[in-house]
Amino acid sequence: MITLGALFNPRGGIHPAYHKDSTESLPVEAMPVPKSLYVALNQHLGAPSKPVVKKGDVVVRGQPLAEPAGYVSSWVHAPTSGVIRSVESRLTASGQLGPVVEIEADGRDEGLPCTSAPAEWRNLPARELVEMVLAGGVIGMGGAGFPTQVKLLPPQGKVIHTLIINGAECEPYLTADYRIMIEQSEKIRQGVEILHRILNATKVFIAVEDNKPAAISALEKAFRDFAGELAIVVVKTKYPQGAEKQLIYSCTRREVPSGGLPMDVGALVENVGTATAIVDAVVAHRPLVERIVTVTGDAIGQPKNVLARTGTSFRDLIAFCGGIRGNPGKVICGGPMMGVAQSSIDVGMNKTTSGLLLLSRAQIQQYSSMPCIGCGRCVQACPSGLLPCFLSENIEAENYGEAEALNVLDCIECGACAFECPAHRPLVQHMRMGKAKVLQRRRQREAKAGQKEKAS
Amino acid sequence: MEYILLIISAVLVNNFVLTQFLGICPFLGVSKDLATAAGMGGAVIFVMTLASAVTWGLQAFVLAPLHAEYLQTIAFILVIATFVQFVELVLKKTSPGLHKALGIYLPLITTNCAVLGVAVLNIKKEHNCLESITFGFGAALGFALALILFTGLREKIARSNPPQCFRGTAIALVTAGLLSLAFMGFAGLVKM
Amino acid sequence: MELLIQTLIIGGTGLVCAAILAVAARFLSVHEDPRVEAVGNLLPGINCGTCGFAGCGEYARDIVLHGAPINLCKPGGSEIAAKIGASIGVQVPTDERQVAIVLCKGDDGAVKRGVDYNGLLDCSAAQQIGGNGKPCRYGCMGLASCARSCPVGAIEIRKGLAIVHPDLCISCAKCVSVCPRKLIRMIPESRSIHVLCSSMDRGPDVRKVCSVGCIACTLCAKAVNNQGISMKNNLAVVDYSVPLSDEGVIAKCPQHTLEKRVGGKGVCA
Amino acid sequence: MTDSSAGWIVSPSPHTHSGDSVSRIMITVIVALVPSLVAGVIVFGWDTIRLTTICVATCVVAEYIVRTMMRRDIGITDWSAVVTGILLALNLPPTLPGWMAIVGSLSAIVVAKQLYGGIGYNLFNPALVGRCVLLISFPVAMTTWAVPAFVPNASAVDATTMATPLGAWKTAWASGNAPASFFETYPIRSLILGNRPGCVGETSVVALLLGGLILLWRRCISWHTPVLFIGTVAVFAGVLHQADPARNLPAAYHVFSGGIFLGAFFMATDMVTTPVTRSGMLIFGAGCGLITMIIRKWGGYPEGVSFSILIMNALTPLINRFTRPRTFGHKGREMEK
């Protein structure tokens, strides 16, 4: 094992105020199981899971609530024991309606009877290990929620030779991953060993930003006698350093091709939280039903790093952290750069919820309808090398052809442009709308081409 | 050197569009898209250069010896029309997309005062054959340059937000005026 | 003499030019279907794009070469469709005029806004982040994307709710595809009874957020014996394929979600 | 507390911001212009205050009236009209009659800015449009230069007016003679300090440089445009001087006289009318320098900064188009589709 300084510096990026000091030194606190839990069935990317329980069913912790509804999908498990109150369309943490299972906890928090002893996973074939990851409902816990088992099974012809463990945590305010790296560095090591066994990767990088020296030394200690070729990469602190494609560049100087996946450059990125969830799923047969959430912001009574069950409502989380202080301007699920502003706090948290942020009005961005003044700061900030200023103007003018030519589809919606924009234009919203419209136009074009082909 | 100065003069100092205000119609008509503008520029360079040569010949060998200078205008337009028709045929065959984009403005080069202006100015300034061709080429180059410059500006105007009554051609003309103001800076660059 | 010279000069120049062009035309000729031009001349030539093609010329080409429907030109209406049909020998389909309707009645008076919205004033942009703070997740957000998409200005936003004026509607259906909540439908003009709600929430949840939403009490469906109005996903749905004449059913609705509107002269909330 | 009365906000991400805004940038520019204004007052006295007041007042009032007429938001709180007013005033000769300054301000705000829809939409730098309209409409008034406060060589001065260094050089050579006692009348030291005839705010290189550094420090501008602008002028002038030292001024004279510093730091860096990419800014700066020197050397005007920036403004959309950065994950630069 070696520790390396920043290897390569991806383009663009910004330096927001990090505000991590209020929670970074607080140990993780386990939250008691609340009365009602709202477990969304679309926590992951891909097809929403198909419910296997119905109203009135009695479930125990770890029992499946829903099964995968496709290749890119995942299992969802009951976070505690209790009765199913309803299975219906409700508001989810993404801000959209989605299928949600409401569970009334019985307070006993019974788990499934342990059927097998802790597995001696070192003797199992990779295929079986992946099955266990799938059965544990493990998804990417950094935010996107991509089902992990899909990433672990690259299609024929793709070889993954580089494993990158993402401990950058570049979002301001959030310290969940930081606490995992400090408190569970041994578990991360075990997770890396399992991933190493599955993938047989030749190189392992653990990327941590240089503003987290304590995490770096904890990891150094845990990995000091690691057998394979492993490097802890101390990357430069800047946002969005922890974005998947940017991190791959930081470690390998390879660019994931436009529209491609990390596996196209032989890389796989897993969040530190995902690594620990894999350990639970493989070693203890314990599915993913809880995670660490940073509850913070200047409008929360008592900022904390909380270990909470999936489906815990934001209302209960806030109550556990000393309630709302003053008048919050926004309630955000996730970090301040890419999180989703919530319209209600009666929404359950997901496997991907890394933070709950309550910000006062003084702290939040106020968007305006002012025109672009062409300062070019967004161009300098954009990690994807786009021209957000012209993109937003073209999208505003519904000139989607030009937006496509300006590569709007390569936008990663990191928000660096809107953070810098002195005119306070809602650039990310422009991009998201532009992307949707461009994709829609593409589909229409393809359909039309198909029709013409048929006609001729 | 003299010919280079002639070109510089026609392109920058006495730019047909920006300081003499000739050829405004296609200047406003086909300046909405870079590729179309470049195509138009090419077409005008072709027509203007050749028309300069042929009209000079027509004047020197037919009209002047026969003392029929008063037929200048009509005879020149005949020549120009031929070249325009020829360009149109070529474009329709080789680049239907461009032909479609140029639309009515392509045949309108015929009545483009810039082309006739070059032919007439050549006679008036008593240019010889080579000078005529050079002047015609330079003027056309200036036209193409102004057109392409203006295309970029038009793209930005399309995203701008003028008051309702100034939208479209009105704001384009204001912009042409400002562009011509900027080109006043080149005044006196070449004394010809 | 002078006249002769004139004639000779102009005539001679013209002759030479004509000869050159004749030769050029021979080598550079392009064949095009004459019917395309014929149909193109029949179309209004205003390039409004409501037919779904990039201008009248493109539409004419598609009619002749790819057999596109001939009644798509809205400004031209049935008159031009008939002319086109005559010129290329195709029958004009005859249907009742379709008009757009917004299936939501929740204006700012009926739905209380709980959360403020700070972002683009565009429905699909707002929908991507879950809406604009109106608590009903199914109803009209009132950000006017449909009104902006309407080529004839037939959609008005009144108190945060989109309302179509059916007499102005040209049945282009652009608004239908623009609405991210799929609230707009095209219906035959003569249909007069509508359930102005699209919420699939349960009754108590609807009541919490909206005073005029459908609470799925099923009274209307029972009143017409499920003939023309049926219950689907906690919502009464009108079947517009058959005319529904019994107007007594309107009085049955406790929420006043059911409403009567005819041909633009109806009562708009 | 229930949701419906919580009254918080939903909005797209990101939810945090750098804290900068357009009005803050404009105020920074105004602050950065203060040293030049002070220098103008010292060198040209009361005329500086008179012109600045007239221009700023006209710009703000015109902006207010036009915005009201167009039924748009009154945008004057963004301070951009004030910036335009000050910049225009700094670009005028001190003795210019007040009504001409009003005409210039109106061309700047109404024609160059508000006709396009106001801040962010204009194609040309409003202050420079105002100046060039005046220069072409009133060539005599715009090239009559007041005598600065501290004249080093009184013999070169008639009663009330005096030529600018570039003007003196050009006029003399136009009649075929080298200007008499040029380097005594215009020592390099007074060019740098600003003690020379010229526009109100263009004379003091020290004050302009101070302002430029404030802008650089506050991240309102980047170094690319000014450095390339001044550098190109210096190199071009240096080469010319080497080729024919008698007929061409030394590079330092070209750089320190005329409006190079005012143009390079405050006009060629105007955000709206200049490229957004770094490489575009480099091209823009170099182009400005090149055209300025072409006009100075061969053109009819002794000074070409304003025209060169206007011409490069016209080129800006094309520069933006051809200097697109390479998109992450794409192979080459896609200049044009």
Side-chain angles (χ1 to χ4, degrees), chain D residues 214-301:
Chain D
I214 292 177
L215 292 182
L216 280 171
W217 169 55
R218 297 302 303 166
R219 281 203 327 142
C220 286
I221 63 173
S222 69
W223 57 269
H224 303 74
T225 314
V227 166
L228 259 279
F229 193 159
I230 297 170
T232 310
V233 169
V235 170
F236 201 131
V239 169
L240 284 179
H241 184 66
Q242 280 301 314
D244 188 354
R247 269 180 168 268
N248 295 306
L249 280 169
Y253 269 79
H254 269 295
V255 171
F256 292 138
S257 62
I260 298 281
F261 272 74
L262 183 59
F265 280 107
F266 291 95
M267 319 292 259
T269 55
D270 169 44
M271 291 169 171
V272 181
T273 56
T274 61
V276 295
T277 58
R278 294 273 195 245
S279 47
M281 291 175 191
L282 294 175
I283 296 173
F284 189 92
C288 286
L290 202 66
I291 298 175
T292 302
M293 283 311 293
I294 288 175
I295 294 177
R296 280 185 181 181
K297 173 66 185 157
W298 292 290
Y301 294 99

Side-chain angles (χ1 to χ4, degrees), chain C residues 32-268:
Chain C
E32 196 170 16
D33 195 327
R35 290 179 302 164
V36 173
E37 206 185 330
V39 174
N41 288 340
L42 289 173
L43 291 168
I46 53 173
N47 298 324
C48 68
T50 37
C51 52
F53 294 91
C56 294
E58 195 72 7
Y59 179 41
R61 185 160 297 131
D62 250 64
I63 289 178
V64 175
L65 304 178
H66 304 296
I70 58 172
N71 61 341
L72 298 179
C73 181
K74 306 299 169 199
S78 53
E79 197 180 324
I80 282 186
K83 278 188 193 159
I84 297 173
S87 93
I88 60 167
V90 176
Q91 275 293 317
V92 190
T94 47
D95 265 331
E96 190 185 346
R97 193 172 83 102
Q98 302 270 310
V99 292
I101 186 166
V102 182
L103 294 181
C104 176
K105 203 184 171 184
D107 61 10
D108 285 341
V111 183
K112 288 278 170 287
R113 181 180 292 270
V115 176
D116 294 334
Y117 171 73
N118 175 219
L120 279 179
L121 300 182
D122 179 278
C123 298
S124 40
Q127 177 65 12
Q128 283 180 326
I129 61 161
N132 68 335
K134 254 191 175 178
C136 177
R137 298 278 150 179
Y138 298 92
C140 177
M141 292 184 275
L143 294 177
S145 286
C146 52
R148 281 191 294 274
S149 79
C150 182
V152 293
I155 304 181
E156 179 198 350
I157 304 295
R158 203 185 290 169
K159 286 167 73 187
L161 177 70
I163 293 168
V164 182
H165 291 277
D167 43 348
L168 297 176
C169 180
I170 56 166
S171 22
C172 68
K174 279 192 171 169
C175 50
V176 174
S177 55
V178 162
C179 180
R181 291 187 165 174
K182 311 266 170 265
L183 296 175
I184 308 183
R185 282 194 60 179
M186 300 306 297
I187 58 164
E189 175 177 31
S190 62
R191 304 293 184 268
S192 60
I193 293 170
H194 315 286
V195 176
L196 295 177
C197 182
S198 302
S199 172
M200 292 192 267
D201 274 345
R202 283 174 306 172
D205 292 336
V206 172
R207 258 213 191 101
K208 257 188 238 164
V209 296
C210 179
S211 61
V212 293
C214 173
I215 53 168
C217 64
T218 72
L219 288 177
C220 54
K222 278 179 191 146
V224 294
N225 266 335
N226 285 327
Q227 301 293 305
I229 300 181
S230 56
M231 300 306 299
K232 205 166 142 196
N233 292 328
N234 294 327
L235 181 66
V237 181
V238 176
D239 177 7
Y240 286 110
S241 61
V242 289
L244 186 68
S245 53
D246 180 11
E247 289 177 6
V249 68
I250 289 175
K252 292 275 194 300
C253 180
Q255 290 285 95
H256 306 288
T257 316
L258 239 65
E259 205 173 82
K260 183 182 167 162
R261 280 186 203 169
V262 198
K265 285 153 206 90
V267 244
C268 297

Side-chain angles (χ1 to χ4, degrees), chain A residues 240-286:
Chain A
Q241 183 66 265
E244 193 168 60
K245 293 177 178 180
Q246 274 59 36
L247 202 66
I248 293 171
Y249 184 89
S250 291
C251 293
T252 68
R253 204 165 180 236
R254 282 165 184 262
E255 290 188 10
V256 177
S258 170
L261 291 168
M263 63 176 70
D264 294 332
V265 293
L268 176 86
V269 183
E270 289 294 357
N271 177 269
V272 287
T274 319
T276 58
I278 288 173
V279 175
D280 285 340
V282 170
V283 178
H285 298 293
R286 201 162 61 212

Side-chain angles (χ1 to χ4, degrees), chain B residues 18-41:
Chain B
L18 295 175
T19 55
Q20 311 205 0
F21 301 103
L22 294 170
I24 297 290
C25 167
F27 180 65
L28 292 176
V30 288
S31 53
K32 283 180 185 146
D33 167 76
L34 196 62
T36 322
M40 185 68 173

Side-chain angles (χ1 to χ4, degrees), chain A residues 201-270:
Chain A
T202 50
K203 272 189 208 137
V204 184
F205 295 103
I206 301 178
V208 189
E209 280 187 336
D210 56 12
N211 63 349
K212 303 179 181 68
I216 295 165
S217 55
L219 290 170
E220 276 173 344
K221 212 172 128 209
F223 281 96
R224 68 186 169 272
D225 55 349
F226 189 84
E229 192 182 326
L230 179 137
I232 295 174
V233 185
V234 184
V235 292
K236 269 177 85 172
T237 300
K238 76 170 176 182
Y239 180 86
Q241 183 66 265
E244 193 168 60
K245 293 177 178 180
Q246 274 59 36
L247 202 66
I248 293 171
Y249 184 89
S250 291
C251 293
T252 68
R253 204 165 180 236
R254 282 165 184 262
E255 290 188 10
V256 177
S258 170
L261 291 168
M263 63 176 70
D264 294 332
V265 293
L268 176 86
V269 183
E270 289 294 357

